[in-house]
Amino acid sequence: MAAFTLTDAKNLSQDKLTNYVIDEFRKSPLLDAMVFDDTVKPQGGQTMSYVYNRVTTLPTAAGRELNTEYTPQEAKTSQVTVNLKVFGGSFSIDRVIAAHETQVLNLVQFQLEQKSKAVRSLFADWFINGDSAENMKAFDGLAKALKGSDTEITLEDSSLLDLSTAASLKANWQSFLYELRQVEKLLDGEPGVIGVNSDLFAVFQSVADLSTQFQQTKSELGTQIVKYGNATIMNMGDKPGTSNPIIPTDEKTGTTDMYLFRIALDGVHGVTPERNKEPKIYLPDMTRPGAVKTGEVEMVAAMALKATKAAAVLHGIKVVPGASTTPAASPSRAVYSASFDDIPSR
């Protein structure tokens, strides 16, 4: 498998403007951490579909007595096909501005920066919420892949995790870490990412003030990084062109969700065609006829979940005051509740 990251793509590129756009995409902690696989076929060539087997039942092992046989048991998989999607955006610049505006290069870079911001937000949105059945232009995301699985958890009573005020956060932060670990233990390995919205990200920052188990740093691009153990707490941000969070907070209950996943080629990873490893830019061509010139930013990608136990979601974390304190639990989701007063160090 030819795994690569955006950092690898930048190292292979000699074009300064392309590197600038890659850096803009890397400002998304999700895209900066993402590992991509290509869609090269064994017999040669490439395709817009990525077919893999998702592990749904893990193998077991046991001892046996002499002269007896093992009880047969097989790991089970289901075949999944991921269809790569094309997404991006364009911008226009009048040739008069190009001819007479001395800062035209900065203007182009400004438009590239803004368009790159929108494209990376769309990738993050589809990574969580994408559903090709509702929007054929989107790839399927984690919410759809985890629905009804053993790693989709809903708290029975959100008051157990009420973190909506300073007083409740101070009273419940240890219970919050307990519940976080209860979800972590469902995974097949330590999660590298915990995806949240801005409300829950603020909660993590406040919990970090009370706990010694967090680290707060900045990436080389200036992005704030909060880590719990080896997991990076990622604010997934807003949907492109809006102030609507990718992971919403329910206005009535004040609750939100938290996604945990392990980025790896046997876990959660991105998919893109070979020789199209980085987002593509198409600059306005001022030498061509036409008064208005068009530039574009485009990406071809999708998300793959190789094992259901490589990702999990916890529903029902109360982060803002709401009209209700106890949301109804979905019968299709696993339900548990717990509280804990004394938490040992990680």
Side-chain angles (χ1 to χ4, degrees), residues 210-232:
L210 301 170
S211 172
T212 60
Q213 301 171 54
F214 290 81
Q215 300 176 5
Q216 301 191 55
T217 60
K218 284 189 176 182
S219 70
E220 61 181 273
L221 298 172
T223 305
Q224 184 179 13
I225 303 296
V226 179
K227 302 198 74 171
Y228 173 66
N230 291 322
T232 299

Side-chain angles (χ1 to χ4, degrees), residues 188-205:
D188 58 5
E190 188 175 12
V193 176
I194 301 176
V196 300
N197 65 9
S198 57
D199 291 326
L200 189 49
F201 187 80
V203 167
F204 268 106
Q205 289 177 304

Side-chain angles (χ1 to χ4, degrees), residues 2 4 36-40 45-50 83-87 270-278 280 299-302:
F4 56 88
F36 290 87
D37 195 10
D38 59 43
T39 59
V40 176
Q46 51 191 314
T47 176
M48 288 292 287
S49 295
Y50 183 79
N83 294 315
L84 275 66
K85 302 297 182 177
V86 184
F87 53 99
V271 185
T272 192
E274 187 189 29
R275 296 187 298 275
N276 190 17
K277 299 178 179 180
E278 72 280 344
K280 296 296 184 182
M299 191 171 185
V300 182

Side-chain angles (χ1 to χ4, degrees), residues 22-96:
I22 292 175
D23 279 343
E24 287 302 313
F25 274 78
R26 288 183 60 213
K27 288 181 181 178
S28 162
L30 176 64
L31 278 167
D32 193 29
M34 187 55 56
V35 173
F36 290 87
D37 195 10
D38 59 43
T39 59
V40 176
K41 296 184 291 186
Q43 64 270 32
Q46 51 191 314
T47 176
M48 288 292 287
S49 295
Y50 183 79
V51 182
Y52 65 93
N53 290 325
R54 178 180 296 166
V55 179
T56 55
T57 301
L58 296 177
T60 62
R64 71 174 182 87
E65 297 180 358
L66 293 176
N67 300 316
T68 64
E69 299 292 341
Y70 293 111
T71 301
Q73 186 273 341
E74 295 79 30
K76 294 183 179 180
T77 65
S78 59
Q79 191 173 88
V80 179
T81 300
V82 173
N83 294 315
L84 275 66
K85 302 297 182 177
V86 184
F87 53 99
S90 63
F91 59 90
S92 298
I93 297 179
D94 193 288
R95 64 186 177 193
V96 173

Side-chain angles (χ1 to χ4, degrees), residues 136-157:
M136 62 179 298
K137 298 178 182 179
F139 58 80
D140 292 330
L142 283 180
K144 181 177 181 178
L146 295 174
K147 190 172 182 61
S149 72
D150 291 340
T151 55
E152 183 189 30
I153 306 300
T154 298
L155 288 171
E156 187 175 36
D157 185 353

Side-chain angles (χ1 to χ4, degrees), residues 36 38 113 205 209-210 243 284 286 292 317 322 336:
F36 290 87
D38 59 43
E113 176 185 344
Q205 289 177 304
D209 295 336
L210 301 170
S243 57
M286 301 304 174
V292 180
I317 307 169
Y336 74 85

